[in-house]
Amino acid sequence: MAAAPARADSAAGSWSDNHELCQSSSCVRAGNIVRLWQAIIWADDLSGTVGTSFIDGEYGSNTAAKTRTWQDVMNIGIDGSVGPQTWGKAYGGVNRNTGFDTSSQTGYFYYGYNRTFGLRKQNSNGVWTFLNPRTGTWTGTSH
């Protein structure tokens, strides 16, 4: 399992130390951190067939299969789990966007192949939130 993030089990920093996501009981299988990952798959969906209903916060067989496809397209190791290499590759799609800045957060966009969504990083502790494409609300990244 990947090293635990230092900040309250949420996505933090450059994501490479986020908890591992997979179907095994040794990984994170539910929560907002899974929703963040599912939003990344949604944004990078080349076929345009992944709808926002996919962003349900459960790391089941559908998410594992779409993760394998994502890993294949990104030309990284294909194992269906989201560990340091996969998180690191996803972080490469994060770009600065001042439109989402607040007095305490720095704004970003995740630029996928097909869609985008907003992100914010808390200035005090580096913890991320994202604009959930399914709900249209700012969502934490805890699990």
Side-chain angles (χ1 to χ4, degrees), residues 83-132:
Q85 182 183 32
T86 302
W87 277 122
K89 188 71 171 182
Y91 186 75
V94 174
N95 293 281
R96 183 78 169 90
N97 183 293
T98 58
F100 290 128
D101 284 0
T102 70
S103 61
S104 62
Q105 298 173 318
T106 302
Y108 296 86
F109 258 125
Y110 181 85
Y111 287 99
Y113 285 115
N114 200 24
R115 304 172 181 117
T116 64
F117 63 91
L119 295 148
R120 289 180 177 153
K121 183 166 66 169
Q122 185 70 30
N123 296 334
S124 63
N125 61 11
V127 171
W128 292 85
T129 59
F130 70 104
L131 191 56
N132 187 325

Side-chain angles (χ1 to χ4, degrees), residues 55-100:
I55 305 169
D56 65 3
E58 299 293 327
Y59 203 97
S61 58
N62 192 24
T63 300
K66 289 186 183 342
T67 297
R68 285 189 291 276
T69 300
W70 189 93
Q71 291 168 327
D72 186 34
V73 168
M74 297 298 174
N75 199 28
I76 60 174
I78 303 168
D79 63 5
S81 66
V82 185
Q85 182 183 32
T86 302
W87 277 122
K89 188 71 171 182
Y91 186 75
V94 174
N95 293 281
R96 183 78 169 90
N97 183 293
T98 58
F100 290 128

Side-chain angles (χ1 to χ4, degrees), residues 11-88:
S14 63
W15 298 358
S16 59
D17 64 350
N18 286 348
H19 284 166
E20 184 175 2
L21 310 179
C22 73
Q23 290 184 279
S24 165
S25 62
S26 66
C27 299
V28 175
R29 296 180 290 170
N32 287 334
I33 191 85
V34 174
R35 285 182 182 87
L36 170 62
W37 175 247
Q38 291 169 328
I40 291 166
I41 291 173
W42 169 83
D44 280 325
D45 175 35
L46 291 171
S47 67
T49 60
V50 176
T52 58
S53 62
F54 171 72
I55 305 169
D56 65 3
E58 299 293 327
Y59 203 97
S61 58
N62 192 24
T63 300
K66 289 186 183 342
T67 297
R68 285 189 291 276
T69 300
W70 189 93
Q71 291 168 327
D72 186 34
V73 168
M74 297 298 174
N75 199 28
I76 60 174
I78 303 168
D79 63 5
S81 66
V82 185
Q85 182 183 32
T86 302
W87 277 122

